């Protein structure tokens, strides 16, 4: 379902054969991307409601999707324990997978682990079952940061839009703020405790905001 926030009701419904676990909306091109249990990521043109793109390469359920800041690349996290970047620009070559990042993990809990881009599009991060926040360099696909501290699976990571700070949510019922400028062992600069497993986190408001949801 696509929701109209002004009217607070569904504006459009797109049907698939398998359950969907992740979605990313691209406003400028009128496309929406979704992935789920069949391991395939599909892109719909919202003007025609037709599937215009299929991205195949994951070997298990797609649990997270995120568009790059310029909208040209799509990041996907999967239960096959890979993170992939796809070229989703119109008229791109047939081979759309441009990078694969490895080092994080999924486990038997089958959590829906999300992923995200840094505001400049140069780094990516994702949730992981090993209780670690993993951050990679996009150009080289090498892991830049390996940030411990959580006592449960990391379910989502979000980069601050301006500062070198990451927010991470975890099934250990905490949200942590991690500073990329300090050594990995002391990267955590703040911890917020919540009443249940934290499944998602995002910076709210304008680019300079310090509010989390």
């Amino acid at each position: 379902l696509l929701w109209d926030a002004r009217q607070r009701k569904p504006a459009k419904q797109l049907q698939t054969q398998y359950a969907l676990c992740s979605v990313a909306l691209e406003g400028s091109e009128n496309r929406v991307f979704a992935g789920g249990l069949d391991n395939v990521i599909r892109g719909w043109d919202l003007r025609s409601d037709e599937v215009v793109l299929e991205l195949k390469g994951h070997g298990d359920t797609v649990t997270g999707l995120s568009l790059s800041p310029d909208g040209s690349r799509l990041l996907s996290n999967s239960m096959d324990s890979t993170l992939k970047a796809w070229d989703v620009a119109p008229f791109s070559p047939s081979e759309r997978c441009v990078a694969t990042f490895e080092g994080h993990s999924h486990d038997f809990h089958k959590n829906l682990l999300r992923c995200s881009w840094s505001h400049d599009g140069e780094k990516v991060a994702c949730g992981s079952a090993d209780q670690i926040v993993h951050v990679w360099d996009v150009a080289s696909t090498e892991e830049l940061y390996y940030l411990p501290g959580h006592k449960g699976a990391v379910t989502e990571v979000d980069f601050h839009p301006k500062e070198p700070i990451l927010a991470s949510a975890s099934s250990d019922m905490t949200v942590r703020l991690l500073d990329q400028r300090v050594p990995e062992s002391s990267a955590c600069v703040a911890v917020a405790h919540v009443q249940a497993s934290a499944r998602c986190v995002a910076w709210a408001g304008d680019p300079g905001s310090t509010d989390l949801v």
Side-chain angles (χ1 to χ4, degrees):
L1 293 175
L2 295 179
W3 294 81
D4 186 330
R6 297 162 300 182
Q7 299 185 22
R8 299 183 181 181
K9 65 179 183 180
K12 191 181 291 282
Q13 179 172 308
L14 302 171
Q15 296 285 350
T16 63
Q17 185 177 357
Y18 298 94
L20 298 175
C21 302
S22 53
V23 65
L25 181 64
E26 180 188 32
S28 61
E29 294 292 334
N30 291 301
R31 292 186 296 179
V32 62
F33 299 93
L37 296 184
D38 66 347
N39 315 341
V40 178
I41 302 164
R42 293 178 176 82
W44 284 263
D45 186 327
L46 296 178
R47 293 164 293 193
S48 64
D49 294 349
E50 294 182 352
V51 174
V52 293
L53 188 61
E54 287 193 347
L55 304 174
K56 299 180 180 180
H58 279 301
D60 208 334
T61 301
V62 178
T63 64
L65 293 174
S66 177
L67 277 162
S68 63
D70 65 2
S72 66
R73 291 167 295 173
L74 181 70
L75 189 66
S76 60
N77 194 1
S78 168
M79 288 184 184
D80 65 8
S81 295
T82 65
L83 187 69
K84 292 181 181 291
W86 309 83
D87 185 343
V88 293
F91 312 112
S92 292
S94 57
E95 179 50 60
R96 293 202 176 242
C97 183
V98 296
T100 299
F101 309 90
E102 297 181 330
H104 69 299
S105 63
H106 287 249
D107 64 11
F108 63 92
H109 290 105
K110 300 294 184 180
N111 287 312
L112 300 182
L113 308 181
R114 309 304 185 183
C115 52
S116 67
W117 294 83
S118 62
H119 61 88
D120 56 9
E122 295 181 357
K123 295 187 286 292
V124 293
C126 72
S128 181
D130 63 3
Q131 307 176 11
I132 303 295
V133 174
H134 297 267
V135 181
W136 292 266
D137 175 70
V138 172
S140 67
T141 70
E142 293 185 0
E143 189 165 6
L144 294 175
Y145 305 107
Y146 180 92
L147 305 172
H150 281 293
K151 305 300 183 184
V154 178
T155 51
E156 185 166 24
V157 180
D158 193 32
F159 290 87
H160 190 277
K162 285 188 175 181
E163 303 297 330
I165 302 291
L166 297 97
S168 59
S170 171
S171 58
D172 66 4
M173 300 189 293
T174 67
V175 173
R176 291 174 178 261
L177 298 186
L178 306 167
D179 191 333
Q180 302 172 60
R181 297 167 295 188
V182 301
E184 295 175 343
S185 60
S186 56
C188 183
V189 294
V191 180
H193 295 269
V194 295
Q195 297 297 315
S197 176
R199 296 296 180 179
C200 52
V201 65
W203 294 97
D206 60 62
S209 174
T210 57
D211 295 331
L212 282 169
V213 294

